[in-house]
Each structure stands twice: as C-alpha cells, then as structure tokens.
C-alpha cells in the first residue's frame, strides 16, 4: 500500500531528520510565527487515522539529539541583546559546562554501546552509531560558533564596556615584567613537566584538566635528546588572572589567561632546551558510572572508589588549540584511543567554563540583571512562628520570585522547638554549606529524632553528599542511603510536633532541591502544609524508605515507582474521554524533559481525541508536535531565560473540575520506574488557580519562548506587533518585593 504520509512523518532510522535541524545557526533568522491567540489555540482538527501506529519510530525524536538542541538554545542566549552583557557571557559559559556533561554522560554512553556491539535503540529507532555521527557534525559546528561568538561578539562588547582580556601578543612591557614575576612566584613552584621517554610514558591526565603538549629541541641535564613533554596546569591555579590596576589602561579592568602565562614562559620550565611549540589541550572522559546492587555491600565505600575512577574514565573528546600541528593532534588522539571525529580545534582557551570566575570578580552591576528581593507571603509576615502560619492553611512559594528562606527557617525553628519530636528529610542536591544541614545537625544534637535520606548517587554531587552523610551521622542523626536500585529524588520534609497534648504533622513538598544557591537561580514550587492527609502520606513514604515492608495505602500523593506513571496515564486518558464526549478538554504539562514512550503515546491519543495539549518542556522532548491526525493539537514550548525553568506542574481541566499537581518527577522513564518520586495535588483552590495563572503566563511568552516544529527545529517566538511578554519578568514583577 502506498504511504500517504508527508516526508516529515516518514522520518525513520534510515531516513532521519536533517542534520540542519540541529544547527541552530539559521533558525533564529527564519520568520518567527506569531502565537495563536485564539481561545483554543489549535488548527481545525484533522481526521485521525484509526490505523496509525503510535509506536512508529518516525513519531519520536532522539533524546540525545534533543538534549543537544537544548544546549544550542542556551548558546543562542549569548546573542540575545535583551540579556545584560555579562549574563550573555554567562550563557556562553553555561553552554560549555552543558557540553562537558553531554560528552561525559550522553556521548560516553553511546560510545560504550558501539564498543560493546549493542545496537539497541530507543523509541526513535536510531542506531547509536548514526546518533553519534549526527552529534559530532552538529557539535563541531556549534563549538566553532561558540568561539566565534566569544571572539567576535562578546569580547569586543566587553572591551567597549572597559573589560578587556589581553592576549600575550598584546601585553605591554610592564605587563610582561609583571607576568614574569607572577609566573616565577605563583606558577613555577607548583608546575610539574613530564618528559616523554621510555621511563616516562604518557601520563594519566585528570578528566577536563588543562594540559600542554610541548615540542622540545636540544639536550636536557642528563643528555637526553629533546622530544615531547606534557605540562599539566595545576588545578589549584586560577584560569583567569586579574592584572593589577596600575598596569591596566585607564578606565579598564584587564585579565590574562593562565594558558597565556604558561605559553609565554614555557621555556623557563625546560632550561637549556628550545621550546619549538606549546599547545594547550583538554581531554573529556567518560564520567558516568553505575553501582551493581548485587555486588555492593557498602554503598558509601563503593561510591568513594567510583569517584576516583571517574577522573580517569575512557576518553570521549579531545579539545586542542586551533594552531596545534596535525601530527601532534594525531599523537594525542592515539594516546587516548580517539578518532578524528572526536577532535575539536578551538580558537581560545580550551576550558571556557573556568571563565565563570570573572562574573564573580567584576563589580559592574549595570552589566548584569538587576538584583531583587524575593517576595514573602503576607501570611508569613503576620505570624511569629512558621508552625502557626502553616496551621492556618497551605502556603505555596514560587522560587526564586518568592524567598526560599521560610523552608530553611522552618527547619531551624523545628531544631530548637522543644515541642518538636521528630524530623525526617530527603536530600538530593543540597550544597556543601547548607543551612538545612546545619539545622538537622542542631536538631539531632538537641535530642530530636532526626532521620535523613541522602541520595549518594546524585550525579556530580556524590562527594558532597558523602561528606554530608558523615557529618550528620557524627551529629547523631539516622542517615539512610535510600533504596539501592532506586535513586531517592523526592523532595520532602516531615516534622512531628506536640500541640495541646496531641501530635500534629507538618510537611514540605517541593519540585526542587534543598539548595540555597539554586533556589535563587531555578524556578521551583514549595508547598508548606499541615493537611493531615498529605502529611500522613509523606510519613508513609519515609517509612517505606527506611523500613523493608510493603507500603501502606497512600491516599493523596502519587508515588513513583508505584502509582505515578499509572495515574498520569489515567489522567491523560480521562481528558481524552472528555473530548470524545464533546466536552472541552485541555491539559498543560510543564517539566524539564519528555522522553517516556508510553506517556508520549498517551498524549498522542489525547490529541487525536481532540484534547488541547500545551507542553512546556525545557530540555529533551521526544514527542513530535503538529503532525496531522496524530499531534496537531499538541504545542511544545521551551522557555529559556534569566532563571533555569525547573518546576514540574501537571494541570488537567477535567470537565470543569480542574486538578493541578506539582512533582519532583519529569516525564522520563528513569523518574517513573527507577526513582523514588512524589507528586502532590494543590488542594487549596486559590493556590491551584494561582499556579494555573502562572502556567498561562508561560503560554503567552513571546520573548524567551521557543516553539518546537514538526521537523524537529525550534523557532524563537517574537512579539511582532503584540506587546512583549516575558513570563519570568512577569512573575518577578508579580511576586518579588522589588524588581
């Protein structure tokens, strides 16, 4: 039978979406469609094909390529003049950090699959080898573009504002003299050159460390002929160094790179020999690891060993200076068992992420977003005690527009309150110097029953979490590492307090981590409640984590890996059934990633039934919107702005009886089946209505919103003749005390 689908619908593993869809270089130049302002916001409904196969690989985007798309959207922010200049630099550096992790985890995983001959695929049907090829093509373009933006756009713009990065060819005589003194006093004593010969084989280099390969000529002190040497840059040294004010041009703050210092003085490291060439390079290694629950008796000890191994995983990417000779680049590729496709030549420092230090060093507030004071709900101002405030009704905080301080203060108050008997807390990413951890330690020291479920396997926070666990154990808290095969990702706190001779329960449930710093940078919701049903369910989840029995009935919360996926599927289908009955049906899903195939199929079914589906997905999205007869009622937006969108909110119209849920979980298989997650309803009508209004604000954003197209590329929304609407600025104005 002839296939009547459009070419876009017929995308298959052998006929993938065009690589150009990932380029991001021309997307912003295309005409940006206006947001549909009609009530429904959808086109006339096409007649669904009843025989359509919703498992067809052509209906799914590849998750790794979708993650790369998100990274590219972050890079685009560096060109957006709506952001202050230093924030644009920050976005460019975040792109570097994101790409580091992308290679360490995503690319490393695909390379492992290829090496093992594992041809298993995801719902998109793409082979690991084909995905790696497309990633390589797109990543090379974007990395080259990143350095062009840095060198041709941002550095000149910064210089026009009195911030200058001096290359060594631009140093004045006085700066040369200062650099020589600095090198002799600060760098030379801690640097360790490694000559390459039979007794000095190629060294094991730490993941993402800055290194130099040096070509030498002449004989050393032992009569050995020059050849090659490796010069690792000490990790303790700053990568960007501020020049003394007296050496800067009037009106300028000037910086030099550590790499320039080492280039300029490499000859002093090899006295009596001639340095013929010195070229920086950096190796990115596989940083993922897993712990086999059947082979581990002590998770903490196993993780300590794995953390050491992470620094020396197999190589996945090699960055070298653009002027590095081909023979040296080939030599390095051979040492790390990498191919030409894994080589990235860069026109600037190979470790751009370390430039983040400049953002904290520069005192130029006019080049950054204006500071603001997070708002405080009036109910908290009216009461001296947080317990008294929460007892009056549920309190919802929207960070960072509203302060995270009440969550920390609740723990401090509980720690010193003689009526508080017990505290239970989950910790996933918390920070090395956390006020909440301090309060938990104080509470344990004050004789309260403190139980903390710490997820040791929070990627890249394992070392901090191991230290936190030891500290809390020393303070007298009961520390649990969760369930071996399931990461504890739920964000919850439970407090038991004696009031008027009876025990009363209080709880906090959130979409984000108990981390003071990220609470100022990420958008998240926090619910403070004394509702008996919710609090009892939180208590039961904690009992399940700490005990070994079956879970008692959990009435109000949804709970992964047990009920969350099934209930979400059911709520999506319920909305579809309303549509089949001719009723208006609408759902809004806001989360960080949408990759789980069965949930995607449920959304396809809902769209085919006539449900309006508005999806606000920050990062990975494997669903293809806008396909006639399949997903023409689905719209996908990604909002990228000043704050990292991190809220997970699920809203269902439900035939005029709306339900709104917040969750710690994304729409991913790992969250649904391999993690402990909670999803909590907003039972106070005013709070639920407020969150629905927040969601609607995101749906009309035409400044920081990107619309996913059926062919896989994203188009930046533009105000056109309409009023400019930034969701984050709107919420900041609505909730913050001063914006």
């Amino acid at each position: 039978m002839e296939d009547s689908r459009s070419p876009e619908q017929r995308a298959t593993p052998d006929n993938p979406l065009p690589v150009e869809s990932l380029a991001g270089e021309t997307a912003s130049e295309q005409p940006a469609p206006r947001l549909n302002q009609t009530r429904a916001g959808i086109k006339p409904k096409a007649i669904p094909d009843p025989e359509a196969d919703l498992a067809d690989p052509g209906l799914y985007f590849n998750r790794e390529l979708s993650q790369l798309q998100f990274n590219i959207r972050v890079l685009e922010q560096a060109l957006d003049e709506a952001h202050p200049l230093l924030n644009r630099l920050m976005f460019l550096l975040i792109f570097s950090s994101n790409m580091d992790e992308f290679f360490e985890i995503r690319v490393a995983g695909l390379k492992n699959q290829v090496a093992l001959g594992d041809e298993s695929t995801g719902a998109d049907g793409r082979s690991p080898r084909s995905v790696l090829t497309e990633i390589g093509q797109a990543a090379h373009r974007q990395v080259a573009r990143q350095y062009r933006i840095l060198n041709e756009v941002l550095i000149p713009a910064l210089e026009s504002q009195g911030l200058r990065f001096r290359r060594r060819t631009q140093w004045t005589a006085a700066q040369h003299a200062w650099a020589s003194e600095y090198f002799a006093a600060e760098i030379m004593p801690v640097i360790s050159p490694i000559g390459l010969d039979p007794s000095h084989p190629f060294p094991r280099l730490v993941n993402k460390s800055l290194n130099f390969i040096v070509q030498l000529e002449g004989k050393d002190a032992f009569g050995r002929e020059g050849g090659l040497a490796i010069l690792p840059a000490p990790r303790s040294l700053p990568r960007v160094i501020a020049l003394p004010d007296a050496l800067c041009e009037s009106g300028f703050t000037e910086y030099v790179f550590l790499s320039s210092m080492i280039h300029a003085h490499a000859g002093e490291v090899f006295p009596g020999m001639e340095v013929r060439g010195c070229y920086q390079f950096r190796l990115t290694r596989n940083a993922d690891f897993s712990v086999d629950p059947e082979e581990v008796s002590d998770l903490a000890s196993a993780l300590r060993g794995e953390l050491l191994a992470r620094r020396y995983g197999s190589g996945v990417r090699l960055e070298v200076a653009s002027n590095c000779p081909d023979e040296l680049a080939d030599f390095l590729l051979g040492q790390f068992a990498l191919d030409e496709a894994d080589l990235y030549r860069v026109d600037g420092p190979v470790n751009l992420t370390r430039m983040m230090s400049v953002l904290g060093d520069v005192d130029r507030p006019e080049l950054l977003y204006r500071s603001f004071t997070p708002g405080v709900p009036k109910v908290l101002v009216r009461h001296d005690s947080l317990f008294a405030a929460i007892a009056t009704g549920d309190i919802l905080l929207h960070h960072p527009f509203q302060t995270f301080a009440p969550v920390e203060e609740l723990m401090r108050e509980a720690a010193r309150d003689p009526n508080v008997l017990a505290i239970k807390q989950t910790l996933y990413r918390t920070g090395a110097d956390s006020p909440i951890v301090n309060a938990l330690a104080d509470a344990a020291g004050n004789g309260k029953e403190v139980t903390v479920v710490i997820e040791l396997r929070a990627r890249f926070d394992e070392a901090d979490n191991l230290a936190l666990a030891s500290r809390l154990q020393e303070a007298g808290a009961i520390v649990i590492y969760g369930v071996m095969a399931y990461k504890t990702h739920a964000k919850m706190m439970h407090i038991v307090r004696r009031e008027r001779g009876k025990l009363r329960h209080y709880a906090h449930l959130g979409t984000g981590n108990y981390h003071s710093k990220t609470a100022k940078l990420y958008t998240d919701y926090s619910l403070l409640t004394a509702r008996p049903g919710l609090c009892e369910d939180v208590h039961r989840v904690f009992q399940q984590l700490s005990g070994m029995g079956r879970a008692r009935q959990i009435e109000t919360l949804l709970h992964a890996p047990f009920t969350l996926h099934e209930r979400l599927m059911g709520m999506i289908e319920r909305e579809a059934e309303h549509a089949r009955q001719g009723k208006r049906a609408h759902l809004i899903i806001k989360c960080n990633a949408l990759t789980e195939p069965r949930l995607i199929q449920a959304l396809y079914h809902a769209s085919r039934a006539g449900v309006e589906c508005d999806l606000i997905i920050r990062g990975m999205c494997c669903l293809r919107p806008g396909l006639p007869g399949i997903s023409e009622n689905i719209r996908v937006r990604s909002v990228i702005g000043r704050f990292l969108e991190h809220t997970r909110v699920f809203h269902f119209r439900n035939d005029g009886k709306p339900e709104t849920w917040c969750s710690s979980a994304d729409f991913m298989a790992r969250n649904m089946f391999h993690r402990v997650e909670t999803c909590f309803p907003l039972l106070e009508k005013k709070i639920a209505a407020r969150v629905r209004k927040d969601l609607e604000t995101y749906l009309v954003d035409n400044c920081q919103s990107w619309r996913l197209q059926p062919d896989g590329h994203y188009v930046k929304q533009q105000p056109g003749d309409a009023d400019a609407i930034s969701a984050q600025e709107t919420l900041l104005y609505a909730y913050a005390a001063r914006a």
Side-chain angles (χ1 to χ4, degrees), residues 378-596:
K378 293 180 180 178
V379 65
L380 297 179
V381 177
R382 289 196 297 262
H383 293 84
D384 293 333
S385 165
L386 277 163
F387 291 114
I390 299 168
T392 66
D394 291 351
I395 300 170
L396 187 76
L397 302 170
H398 194 174
H399 315 304
F401 316 112
Q402 291 177 300
T403 179
F404 183 69
V407 180
E408 298 172 333
E409 181 55 36
L410 177 63
M411 185 58 68
R412 283 192 289 263
E413 186 174 338
R416 61 178 181 260
D417 187 339
N419 294 317
V420 169
L421 306 180
I423 302 171
K424 294 183 180 180
Q425 172 92 45
T426 60
L427 296 178
Y428 190 75
R429 300 188 195 278
T430 307
D433 186 21
S434 166
I436 284 182
V437 172
N438 294 340
L440 288 167
D442 290 343
N446 290 337
K448 303 183 189 306
E449 188 74 11
V450 177
T451 303
V452 185
V453 181
I454 298 182
E455 181 48 70
L456 295 181
R457 295 160 295 175
R459 185 179 292 144
F460 300 120
D461 279 313
E462 298 94 343
D464 280 349
N465 287 357
L466 283 164
L468 293 178
S470 297
R471 181 184 170 197
L472 288 169
Q473 285 170 330
E474 291 171 1
I478 299 171
V479 175
I480 298 167
Y481 299 143
V483 184
M484 187 65 193
Y486 300 87
K487 284 187 179 181
T488 302
H489 193 247
K491 289 36 175 184
M492 55 186 186
M493 175 197 303
H494 179 252
I495 299 171
V496 180
R497 187 171 187 259
R498 189 178 300 282
E499 297 179 5
R500 299 182 181 88
K502 296 182 179 180
L503 297 185
R504 183 159 191 180
H505 297 242
Y506 294 84
H508 169 267
L509 290 155
T511 65
N513 299 300
Y514 294 102
H515 196 300
S516 301
K517 182 177 179 180
T518 58
K520 298 175 183 176
L521 303 173
Y522 295 8
T523 68
D524 274 306
Y525 283 115
S526 281
L527 180 69
L528 298 167
T529 183
R531 284 182 182 268
L534 272 177
C535 292
E536 180 60 29
D537 279 357
V538 171
H539 173 57
R540 289 170 178 167
V541 174
F542 272 113
Q543 284 190 318
Q544 183 183 14
L545 286 169
S546 60
M548 304 220 20
R550 289 183 174 272
R552 291 181 291 164
Q553 186 67 29
I554 293 178
E555 303 287 347
T556 309
L557 291 178
L558 304 183
H559 182 204
F562 304 104
T563 60
L564 179 55
H565 185 266
E566 178 185 359
R567 286 289 302 279
L568 286 173
M569 294 280 290
M571 286 188 281
I572 295 171
E573 172 55 29
R574 180 184 64 188
E575 211 65 27
E577 184 57 32
H578 290 320
R580 294 187 195 104
Q581 295 174 11
K583 301 173 182 177
R584 186 183 175 204
H586 186 208
L587 61 83
I588 306 174
I589 304 297
K590 184 176 186 295
C591 58
N592 303 323
L594 170 58
T595 63
E596 204 283 304

Side-chain angles (χ1 to χ4, degrees), residues 606-673:
S607 173
R608 285 156 56 89
V611 179
E612 303 171 30
C613 302
D614 281 299
L615 311 181
I616 308 167
I617 313 297
R618 184 193 78 207
M620 289 183 289
C621 180
C622 295
L623 176 148
R624 294 187 66 191
L627 299 179
I630 301 291
S631 59
E632 80 272 9
N633 291 338
I634 301 178
R635 297 165 296 282
V636 179
R637 294 169 172 82
S638 173
V639 176
I640 301 176
R642 173 179 181 176
F643 308 110
L644 181 74
E645 289 298 330
H646 198 249
T647 50
R648 289 98 166 194
V649 187
F650 318 138
H651 173 81
F652 303 91
R653 189 176 188 277
N654 191 28
D655 191 24
K657 299 181 288 293
E659 292 184 7
T660 304
W661 301 73
C662 292
S663 181
S664 60
D666 290 310
F667 272 38
M668 302 177 70
R670 71 184 188 189
N671 298 97
M672 297 294 153
F673 309 119

Side-chain angles (χ1 to χ4, degrees), residues 287-347:
D288 201 9
F289 62 77
S290 60
V291 178
D292 188 343
E294 296 183 359
E295 297 183 1
V296 171
S297 58
D298 183 342
L299 178 60
S301 296
L303 275 177
R304 288 187 180 96
E306 289 291 341
L307 286 173
L308 292 174
R310 170 184 278 169
R311 303 174 70 187
Y312 300 104
S314 57
V316 294
R317 174 184 62 169
L318 176 64
E319 298 165 279
V320 301
S322 57
N323 63 341
C324 181
D326 289 343
E327 63 270 19
L328 292 186
D330 290 341
F331 171 76
L332 291 171
L333 288 172
Q335 292 298 319
F336 304 129
L338 294 173
D339 300 324
E340 181 70 23
D342 303 313
L343 178 67
Y344 288 76
R345 292 182 175 274
V346 300
D347 184 16

